[in-house]
Amino acid sequence: MEVVIKNTYEEMSALAAALIADVVRRKPNCVLGLATGSTPVGTYKELIRLHKNEGLDFSKVTTFNLDEYVGLPPEHDQSYHYFMWDNLFKSINANPSKVHVPQGMAPDITAFCQWYEDEIKKAGGVDLQLLGIGGNGHIAFNEPGSSLGSRTRVKTLDDRTIADNARFFKKKSDVPRYAITMGIGTIMDARQLVLLANKETKADAISATVEGPITAMVPATIVQLHPKATIIVDKAASKKLTHEYPAEPRVLRR
Ligand code: PGA
């Protein structure tokens, strides 16, 4: 696991986009695992810039998103389907038949979750999985206590997650209580992980993830076991780290 501390959100986002672009250039038909939330918005902006200015080609790329609220239709402006089209897919040359976001309205959710796992396998597995982290240490919607070997399934959202995400809804009671999420085992199968965190509200979760023991109570700590994981944080999110970490990853220093 490699930890990189950048001065700003913009620098964190530029580095994450550079790592993703590197995979897309080396393997044009790669499989990307994508995330939603405030954190990756800057990364997506930079990918759009690379597409427009440098011709970064997404036409052969397959994507799988981490999660989706149960009960929100794709056209709902807080659905993760809507988020992905609004923040990335509509502005790059994404192939709609190659993008996958879990279906929050699937009539048989258990069958859907198995189908999603099967589709990831059929696509050859995820080459690079982008991750945010919750203030409670969750990755995707794998809340504290999630099985570290879990697969795609429905999870009940923690009170803290509901409170954190209430800012996107008119009122807290509008935040869905359930979500479909890739499991921790699903995420760990990706060949490369890039986990991002900015702001001081993430400092405790990052400290536990990077320097604490592996525990299901902080699901992100599992990343310590991944052979190719990069954690990129801004200064504020790094505040509680006690070791020294570089400002550039090895992969870009070679
Ligand atoms: P955020 O959410 O990017 O909106 O902070 C991250 C997460 O909850 O995983």
Side-chain angles (χ1 to χ4, degrees):
M1 182 179 71
E2 187 170 32
V3 180
V4 177
I5 301 176
K6 297 307 254 184
N7 282 320
T8 63
Y9 174 76
E10 288 69 27
E11 288 177 22
M12 176 196 83
S13 304
L15 175 56
L19 293 176
I20 295 169
D22 190 45
V23 174
V24 173
R25 287 195 190 102
R26 280 191 287 112
K27 186 177 174 186
N29 64 344
C30 66
V31 179
L32 297 178
L34 298 177
T36 52
S38 312
T39 311
V41 170
T43 304
Y44 295 153
K45 282 207 175 97
E46 176 63 8
L47 287 177
I48 292 167
R49 193 192 67 74
L50 291 172
H51 168 67
K52 297 215 154 107
N53 297 355
E54 296 181 19
L56 188 65
D57 179 16
F58 290 90
S59 62
K60 298 190 184 71
V61 173
T62 298
T63 68
F64 287 93
N65 261 81
L66 287 168
D67 45 16
E68 177 61 287
Y69 291 118
V70 169
L72 293 195
E75 60 278 7
H76 190 290
D77 66 1
Q78 289 310 323
S79 76
Y80 288 169
H81 185 101
Y82 186 98
F83 175 100
M84 286 311 300
W85 279 96
D86 201 36
N87 284 284
L88 181 64
F89 298 149
K90 74 172 187 200
S91 306
I92 58 174
N93 60 339
N95 179 342
S97 70
K98 289 184 182 293
V99 309
H100 306 79
V101 181
Q103 292 168 19
M105 299 291 281
D108 180 343
I109 288 189
T110 308
F112 176 81
C113 291
Q114 187 56 54
W115 177 84
Y116 206 67
E117 287 278 332
D118 294 344
E119 286 300 298
I120 295 172
K121 276 204 192 79
K122 268 207 296 201
V126 172
D127 290 295
L128 182 151
Q129 176 67 58
L130 185 64
L131 296 166
I133 182 171
N136 63 359
H138 73 199
I139 44 174
F141 276 129
N142 295 288
E143 301 286 26
S146 292
S147 160
L148 295 177
S150 51
R151 312 302 305 186
T152 304
R153 69 215 183 290
V154 172
K155 284 295 286 180
T156 306
L157 305 191
D158 260 21
D159 288 344
R160 164 126 192 221
T161 301
I162 290 177
D164 284 352
N165 290 1
R167 67 189 193 279
F168 298 115
F169 292 82
K170 280 200 193 78
K171 48 186 194 309
K172 196 174 156 192
S173 57
D174 290 343
V175 183
R177 300 201 40 226
Y178 304 99
I180 297 174
T181 180
M182 272 189 207
I184 297 175
T186 322
I187 291 168
M188 287 293 284
D189 283 348
R191 287 183 271 278
Q192 182 177 1
L193 302 180
V194 175
L195 186 148
L196 307 180
N198 65 299
K199 293 196 181 147
E200 206 171 333
T201 50
K202 302 290 172 70
D204 284 322
I206 285 298
S207 156
T209 297
V210 174
E211 297 180 350
I214 296 172
T215 167
M217 293 316 289
V218 184
T221 57
I222 194 70
V223 168
Q224 294 176 23
L225 288 181
H226 196 283
K228 194 175 181 192
T230 309
I231 299 189
I232 313 171
V233 298
D234 73 348
K235 274 266 180 308
S238 78
K239 258 192 153 159
K240 297 203 171 155
L241 293 175
T242 59
H243 286 257
E244 299 228 328
Y245 301 97
E248 296 297 338
R250 276 190 300 273
V251 65
L252 293 185
R253 277 189 262 133
R254 71 183 164 208

